C-alpha cells in the first residue's frame, strides 16, 4: 500500500477531481493471511473476508466466491477498493449490495478498472452522488472497458440526448444503457433502418424499453415487421416493435382476441392497422370486449376492423357514445349497414353534429343523455373511482 496517499486523482488533461483514496485499513477488515499459492487457499481467504467484512453467511460467501471465481491472497486490495468507495460517498449499507452484485471488484485493479470510469463521469458533469446512485443501481456499469465500450456508448447516447446533463440523467435512471453491450448494438440497428433520432429519444426515455434494448433478437423482429408492411421511419413501427418484443404477452393477447371471436387473420390485420392494440392491457381488452359484445350485443370483429377503439377510454368515450348509437338504432335512425365503429373514432365536434344535433326531435334528449354520462365519467375519474 502507499505510505503517503495522494489526496486527489488527476485526469490526463490535468483537471482535478476529489476522488479520495485514503489507504487506512477499515476497522472490520484488518486481516492478515499467510501467503499460500494454492487455489483452495486463496478462495478460502476470500470467503473469510466476505464473512468478516459484510457478515455474509459462510454458505452465501462460499457460493459467491465459487460462482464468480473470487480469490485473493491478502486483504490489501479488497481493503483498498472498499476504502475508495467509502471515501467517495458510499455508505456501509450500500457496500454489501454492490459486492454481492459485482464481487470481482474486490480483486480488481482499482486504478485501471474503477477510477478512470469515475473520472470520466465526473468530467461529463455527474456529481459524486450521481455516481453513487448509478453504481448502487447497477455495479456492473464498472465492468466494461472505458475506451472500447463506455465512451463510445456514451457518445452514441449523447447524439440523441444532445447534452451531457440529459445523457447523465438517462444513464443514472437506466444504468443498463451504459453497461449492456447489446444496447449500443440494438440502437445502431434501429438507426441504420431509418428510425428517427426524435423517436430514439422517446424510446430511450420510456420505462418499458428495458427488454427491447437488451434483446438479442432485434434483427429478427425488425425483418418480421418490415415484411409485414411496417415503414421503419414511422412511429407505428416502434409501437409494433415494442408490442412484438414481449413474446409471452403477445401470445396471451392473441389467444384473448381469438377467445372473443377474432381469427388469426383478424389479429394480423388489426395489428397492422393499429399496433397499439397489442400493447393494450389484458384487463382493458376484456373490459372493452365485454361491454361491446355482452352489453351492446355487437360483433367483436367490428373492432378488429377499427382497432383504434381499444385505445379509447371506455368511460369517457366508448360508453357515452354507445348509448347514443343504441338509442338511434332503437329509433331506426342508425342504418343497419352503417359502420358501428365510426361514431367512436370521429372528433367530438363531428360526433355532436352528426349524432346529437342532426335529429331535431331527439337532439334535446340525446344531448342530455350524452352529457350526463360524460359528466359521470369525468366525476368518477376525478374522485379516483374507476
Amino acid at each position: 500500500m502507499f505510505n503517503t496517499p495522494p489526496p486527489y486523482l488527476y485526469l490526463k488533461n490535468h483537471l482535478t477531481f476529489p476522488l479520495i483514496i485514503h489507504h487506512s485499513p477499515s476497522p472490520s477488515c484488518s486481516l492478515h493471511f499467510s501467503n499460500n499459492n494454492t487455489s483452495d487457499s486463496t478462495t478460502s481467504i476470500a470467503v473469510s473476508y466476505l464473512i468478516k467484512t459484510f457478515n455474509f453467511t459462510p454458505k452465501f460467501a462460499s457460493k459467491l466466491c465459487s460462482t464468480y471465481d473470487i480469490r485473493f491472497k491478502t486483504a490489501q486490495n479488497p481493503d483498498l477498493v472498499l476504502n475508495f468507495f467509502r471515501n467517495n460517498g458510499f455508505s456501509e449499507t450500500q457496500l454489501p449490495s454492490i459486492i454481492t452484485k459485482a464481487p470481482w471488484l474486490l480483486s480488481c485493479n482499482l486504478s485501471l478498472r474503477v477510477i478512470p470510469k469515475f473520472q470520466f463521469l465526473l468530467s461529463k458533469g455527474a456529481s459524486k452522488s450521481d455516481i453513487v446512485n448509478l453504481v448502487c443501481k447497477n455495479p456492473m456499469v464498472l465492468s466494461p472497458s472505458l475506451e472500447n465500450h463506455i465512451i463510445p456508448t456514451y457518445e452514441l447516447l449523447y447524439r440523441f440526448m444532445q447534452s451531457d446533463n440529459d445523457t447523465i440523467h438517462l444513464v443514472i435512471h437506466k444504468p443498463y444503457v451504459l453497461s449492456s453491450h447489446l444496447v449500443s448494438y440494438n440502437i445502431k440497428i434501429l438507426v441504420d433502418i431509418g428510425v428517427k433520432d426524435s423517436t430514439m429519444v422517446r424510446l430511450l426515455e420510456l420505462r418499458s424499453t428495458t427488454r427491447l434494448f437488451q434483446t438479442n433478437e432485434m434483427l429478427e423482429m425488425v425483418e418480421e415487421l418490415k415484411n409485414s408492411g411496417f415503414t421503419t421511419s414511422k412511429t407505428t413501427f416502434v409501437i409494433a416493435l415494442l408490442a412484438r418484443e414481449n413474446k409471452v404477452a403477445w401470445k396471451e393477447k392473441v389467444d384473448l382476441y381469438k377467445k372473443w371471436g377474432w381469427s388469426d387473420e383478424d389479429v394480423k390485420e388489426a395489428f397492422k392497422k393499429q399496433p397499439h392494440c397489442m400493447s393494450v392491457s389484458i384487463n382493458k381488452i376484456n373490459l372493452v370486449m365485454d361491454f361491446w359484445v355482452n352489453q351492446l350485443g355487437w360483433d367483436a370483429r367490428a373492432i378488429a376492423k377499427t382497432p383504434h377503439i381499444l385505445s379509447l377510454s371506455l368511460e369517457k368515450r366508448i360508453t357515452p357514445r354507445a348509448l347514443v348509437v343504441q338509442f338511434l338504432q332503437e329509433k331506426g335512425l342508425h342504418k343497419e349497414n352503417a359502420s358501428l365503429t365510426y361514431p367512436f373514432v370521429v372528433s367530438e365536434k363531428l360526433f355532436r353534429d352528426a349524432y346529437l344535433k342532426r335529429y331535431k326531435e331527439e337532439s334535446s334528449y340525446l344531448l342530455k343523455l350524452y352529457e350526463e354520462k360524460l359528466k359521470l365519467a369525468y366525476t368518477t375519474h376525478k374522485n379516483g373511482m374507476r
Side-chain angles (χ1 to χ4, degrees), residues 41-189:
S41 177
T42 54
T43 302
S44 177
I45 291 170
V47 170
S48 297
Y49 186 89
L50 292 176
I51 293 170
K52 293 181 180 180
T53 306
F54 302 113
N55 200 30
F56 289 164
T57 65
K59 182 179 180 180
F60 181 73
S62 179
K63 182 178 180 181
L64 205 59
C65 288
S66 62
T67 301
Y68 294 94
D69 193 28
I70 305 304
R71 58 185 70 181
F72 38 81
K73 297 177 182 179
T74 73
Q76 180 175 334
N77 197 75
D79 281 351
L80 182 64
V81 171
L82 293 179
N83 280 326
F84 170 80
F85 282 112
R86 291 186 181 103
N87 293 327
N88 286 283
F90 293 81
S91 69
E92 293 297 328
T93 56
Q94 290 169 331
L95 291 177
S97 175
I98 292 172
I99 297 304
T100 296
K101 296 173 184 175
W104 56 267
L105 284 168
L106 293 175
S107 55
C108 79
N109 185 321
L110 189 66
S111 298
L112 294 178
R113 295 292 302 276
V114 177
I115 292 173
K117 293 160 189 175
F118 274 56
Q119 291 175 322
F120 172 74
L121 292 169
L122 286 167
S123 74
K124 295 302 181 182
S127 65
K128 276 194 174 182
S129 61
D130 286 335
I131 297 174
V132 169
N133 191 7
L134 172 64
V135 174
C136 286
K137 282 184 176 180
N138 184 4
M140 292 307 294
V141 75
L142 298 174
S143 178
S145 164
L146 177 64
E147 293 79 11
N148 298 329
H149 177 76
I150 292 179
I151 292 177
T153 301
Y154 184 92
E155 290 174 349
L156 180 61
L157 297 173
Y158 183 94
R159 162 182 169 169
F160 307 111
M161 307 313 294
Q162 293 291 297
S163 75
D164 284 320
N165 184 59
D166 288 342
T167 306
I168 289 294
H169 180 78
L170 173 68
V171 168
I172 297 301
H173 286 81
K174 291 188 169 186
Y176 74 88
V177 299
L178 209 57
S179 63
S180 172
H181 288 273
L182 282 169
V183 172
S184 57
Y185 173 74
N186 286 329
I187 287 175
K188 289 173 184 175
I189 289 176

Side-chain angles (χ1 to χ4, degrees), residues 338-350:
S339 170
L340 278 175
T341 57
Y342 179 76
F344 300 92
V345 297
V346 297
S347 68
E348 181 70 12
K349 183 181 185 306
L350 188 54

Side-chain angles (χ1 to χ4, degrees), residues 275-340:
H276 185 66
C277 71
M278 296 303 286
S279 299
V280 179
S281 72
I282 284 178
N283 184 54
K284 175 71 178 293
I285 294 170
N286 273 324
L287 286 173
V288 172
M289 289 297 195
D290 179 68
F291 179 74
W292 191 271
V293 175
N294 295 330
Q295 295 188 48
L296 299 177
W298 295 345
D299 185 0
R301 296 185 70 186
I303 295 180
K305 296 176 182 178
T306 314
H308 176 60
I309 286 179
L310 291 158
S311 302
L312 303 175
S313 168
L314 180 61
E315 298 85 358
K316 299 174 186 176
R317 173 71 76 92
I318 299 174
T319 302
R321 293 192 181 189
L323 292 179
V324 172
V325 174
Q326 267 197 320
F327 177 83
L328 293 176
Q329 283 180 324
E330 291 170 0
K331 293 290 184 177
L333 299 174
H334 189 270
K335 297 178 181 179
E336 289 186 9
N337 61 350
S339 170
L340 278 175

Side-chain angles (χ1 to χ4, degrees), residues 20 33-34 51 82 122 194-195 203 222 230 240 255 310 347 366:
I20 306 169
F33 302 103
S34 60
I51 293 170
L82 293 179
L122 286 167
V195 175
L203 269 179
V222 164
F230 286 96
D255 290 344
L310 291 158
S347 68
L366 285 174

Side-chain angles (χ1 to χ4, degrees), residues 329-378:
Q329 283 180 324
E330 291 170 0
K331 293 290 184 177
L333 299 174
H334 189 270
K335 297 178 181 179
E336 289 186 9
N337 61 350
S339 170
L340 278 175
T341 57
Y342 179 76
F344 300 92
V345 297
V346 297
S347 68
E348 181 70 12
K349 183 181 185 306
L350 188 54
F351 178 78
R352 285 176 177 269
D353 290 343
Y355 296 94
L356 298 181
K357 299 177 183 178
R358 180 179 177 183
Y359 308 101
K360 293 183 179 180
E361 292 184 7
E362 292 81 8
S363 63
S364 177
Y365 173 78
L366 285 174
L367 189 62
K368 181 181 179 182
L369 176 71
Y370 180 67
E371 292 190 340
E372 281 182 353
K373 197 64 179 178
L374 273 182
K375 183 178 179 181
L376 177 62
Y378 278 94

